[in-house]
Amino acid sequence: SQQGEEDPQALSIQEGENATMNCSYKTSINNLQWYRQNSGRGLVHLILIRSNEREKHSGRLRVTLDTSKKSSSLLITASRAADTASYFCAEQAAGNKLTFGGGTRVLVKP
Amino acid sequence: EAGVTQFPSHSVIEKGQTVTLRCDPISGHDNLYWYRRVMGKEIKFLLHFVKESKQDESGMPNNRFLAERTGGTYSTLKVQPAELEDSGVYFCASSQHTTGQHRYTFGSGTRLTVV
């Protein structure tokens, strides 16, 4: 899992399939955020889930948060070739800084 | 609105040289952050400015790194002298709110290669 490890580190799927990746964290968080990085580009904010939320949706994205297990998951439904990227979770605790995980590289094959 | 701009996008320098990276945050964003990702590792926090003040510089790896944000607008990150292990992608981000739930806008990063 992320926050040191990512689960999985890499994922290869066919277009139209769903992609699920997991993230674990260690501290008490204010929120957890997911970002995407396309090759050679910057980090794009995808979704933020607060510590008192359990699930959140944004388009084809679904994020869950389990604070008892200190884990989160990101599900991309009906994947497209354009979803090929690295995905990172980042925890935001008491301060403002983000603590990132190692990322999951997702390859969506057309 | 314009996004966070970083310059240069790529830089290749020799070990021992100096490099200065620049970040222009979104206008009006008081918070500016620097992060970096060295090869194969996680994205790590370097420091956080609130306007022109360093709020948190706990992630700065050593005194070869100097960050400034004169006037509370753009920021520079200078590496002097650069070492091989400094190679990686340096990201800048800005945000508007100081506390609570807020999202960051990241720049495209500067890819630094030290040879």
Side-chain angles (χ1 to χ4, degrees):
Chain A
S1 300
Q2 287 207 45
Q3 224 276 317
E5 305 136 44
E6 184 74 30
D7 177 23
Q9 292 187 334
L11 185 59
S12 181
I13 57 175
Q14 292 294 137
E15 205 165 25
E17 293 181 339
N18 295 343
T20 300
M21 60 210 85
N22 302 298
C23 160
S24 65
Y25 58 93
K26 295 181 180 177
T27 63
S28 294
I29 58 171
N30 283 339
N31 64 70
L32 190 132
Q33 305 180 27
W34 284 89
Y35 289 83
R36 182 185 71 224
Q37 184 189 18
N38 292 87
S39 179
R41 300 198 175 181
L43 293 162
V44 175
H45 181 272
L46 295 176
I47 198 164
L48 180 155
I49 186 165
R50 293 178 169 79
S51 59
N52 61 354
E53 296 176 314
R54 292 297 167 260
E55 188 171 311
K56 202 161 183 178
H57 297 254
S58 176
R60 294 182 295 112
L61 305 179
R62 173 178 167 254
V63 168
T64 63
L65 180 66
D66 187 336
T67 52
S68 66
K69 296 181 180 178
K70 288 188 164 57
S71 68
S72 175
S73 68
L74 171 67
L75 167 68
I76 305 172
T77 60
S79 63
R80 305 167 183 168
D83 295 329
T84 294
S86 290
Y87 292 82
F88 298 88
C89 72
E91 60 181 90
Q92 185 181 24
N96 285 315
K97 67 184 181 186
L98 298 175
T99 302
F100 284 88
T104 294
R105 296 187 312 277
V106 174
L107 172 64
V108 181
K109 294 177 283 188
Chain B
E1 65 179 1
V4 176
T5 305
Q6 290 189 246
F7 182 83
S9 57
H10 294 84
S11 180
V12 181
I13 61 171
E14 292 183 350
K15 176 182 172 181
Q17 289 187 322
T18 297
V19 63
T20 300
L21 314 180
R22 174 171 168 145
C23 169
D24 286 72
I26 291 174
S27 178
H29 280 193
D30 288 341
N31 296 281
L32 186 148
Y33 309 83
W34 285 98
Y35 290 80
R36 74 170 180 176
R37 187 181 192 198
V38 296
M39 186 62 69
K41 296 189 177 180
E42 298 154 12
I43 301 169
K44 293 280 194 183
F45 168 82
L46 295 178
L47 87 159
H48 169 207
F49 283 99
V50 177
K51 297 184 181 179
E52 68 275 9
S53 300
K54 292 175 184 176
Q55 183 80 8
D56 180 354
E57 52 184 329
S58 60
M60 295 288 265
N62 51 61
N63 58 11
R64 295 186 294 104
F65 288 76
L66 175 64
E68 295 180 321
R69 192 182 181 195
T70 307
T73 54
Y74 71 90
S75 174
T76 58
L77 179 64
K78 182 162 69 174
V79 185
Q80 179 183 29
E83 299 289 343
L84 298 179
E85 64 264 25
D86 300 331
S87 295
V89 181
Y90 289 76
F91 293 103
C92 175
S94 71
S95 70
Q96 192 167 24
H97 301 289
T98 302
T99 59
Q101 323 284 352
H102 59 279
R103 56 179 259 191
Y104 301 72
T105 302
F106 279 82
S108 297
T110 293
R111 182 173 295 277
L112 174 65
T113 303
V114 183
V115 297

